[in-house]
Amino acid sequence: PWLIIQKYGVDVLRWYFYTVNDPGDPKRFDESDLVKVARRFHALLYNSFVFLETYAGQRLGALNFDPQSHLGNVLDVWIISRLEETFKNTTLSLEAFQIGQAARFLEVFVDDLSHWYIRRSRRRFSEPVADSDFISAAATLKFVLVELSKVLAPFCPFLSEAIYFSLVSNSDPHSLSVHLEDWPKFKAALLNKKLLNHMKEVRRLSSLALA
């Protein structure tokens, strides 16, 4: 395994075994699948972090998410709802020892974060109509990445630590490691099921139009 770990990283290999099959099922190892795993998950997550750092790097330390003032945009409300939904589903899966299912919930969320939330929010970062909208988008994305790193920590300990430390150390020097954090608690008040259903329909229509 060391040759593979040196080539792709241990987090990619771990994620491969979490998601390629359910634990206990026979697996035929294929190195090409590691490339797909890295692109499908790790690259998307890392690029999401780079996107935030690129546009908000100088202000990261001052960004503190407040649901009362930072949820004025429907995209922000949606991604926070998706985050809470993912927390709930991942936690329930882990408690039922469904490790593969838990990982796949996280994989789908990262895809939503990168391919829908960030793509639809690009102008809010690059050409914001108001500074308040930029702060709302940046604070929301920072909060999502920090909270996601806590849930991701058991699966990808090194990537989650890197993201957490890069985002939190600027604003809270007393936070030493993501592995010393508590597991995030599900916040039902932030889960907007009606919006989640509406956004599914919007995305379905968008997909049909693009096709």
Side-chain angles (χ1 to χ4, degrees):
W2 297 111
L3 293 175
I4 295 296
I5 289 172
Q6 290 171 7
K7 188 174 182 180
Y8 298 98
V10 68
D11 278 356
V12 173
L13 184 59
R14 287 165 64 97
W15 196 259
Y16 168 81
F17 283 116
Y18 288 135
T19 57
V20 68
N21 288 103
D22 288 326
D25 288 347
K27 298 177 179 65
R28 180 180 179 184
F29 179 78
D30 187 345
E31 186 176 345
S32 64
D33 285 339
L34 291 177
V35 179
K36 298 175 184 177
V37 165
R39 289 175 179 170
R40 183 176 70 231
F41 183 74
H42 300 81
L44 286 185
L45 180 56
Y46 179 71
N47 288 338
S48 299
F49 162 75
V50 170
F51 178 85
L52 175 62
E53 192 176 47
T54 299
Y55 288 101
Q58 301 297 322
R59 306 172 70 174
L60 277 177
L63 294 174
N64 294 304
F65 178 76
D66 178 8
Q68 299 300 321
S69 58
H70 292 154
L71 290 180
N73 187 288
V74 66
L75 284 168
D76 297 338
V77 179
W78 173 75
I79 196 61
I80 293 297
S81 293
R82 278 290 292 117
L83 181 70
E84 293 301 325
E85 181 183 47
T86 302
F87 283 168
K88 180 180 180 180
N89 292 336
T90 302
T91 302
L92 291 174
S93 294
L94 289 175
E95 289 176 346
F97 302 102
Q98 299 296 324
I99 311 302
Q101 184 62 61
R104 285 188 283 272
F105 280 129
L106 294 172
E107 199 167 67
V108 172
F109 176 79
V110 168
D111 185 77
D112 287 350
L113 176 67
S114 175
H115 289 145
W116 191 255
Y117 177 76
I118 290 180
R119 285 187 181 182
R120 299 293 168 273
S121 300
R122 281 188 179 276
R123 285 186 177 272
R124 301 174 65 203
F125 286 88
S126 60
E127 301 174 13
V129 294
D131 190 58
S132 59
D133 191 43
F134 168 83
I135 293 176
S136 178
T140 299
L141 182 53
K142 177 186 175 181
F143 174 78
V144 167
L145 289 173
V146 170
E147 294 301 297
L148 182 61
S149 72
K150 298 175 185 178
V151 178
L152 190 61
F155 300 90
C156 298
F158 299 102
L159 178 60
S160 61
E161 178 78 321
I163 292 174
Y164 174 88
F165 191 75
S166 297
L167 294 176
V168 174
S169 61
N170 292 321
S171 54
D172 187 2
H174 299 293
S175 297
L176 301 177
S177 171
V178 70
H179 302 293
L180 297 177
E181 289 281 357
D182 291 332
W183 186 261
K185 293 182 178 179
F186 169 65
K187 304 176 187 65
L190 295 179
L191 178 60
N192 188 326
K193 292 184 178 180
K194 185 177 180 179
L195 177 59
L196 291 177
N197 291 331
H198 284 175
M199 194 66 82
K200 283 182 181 178
E201 181 63 12
V202 169
R203 296 180 71 183
R204 185 185 72 83
L205 294 174
S206 175
S207 178
L208 289 174
L210 290 173

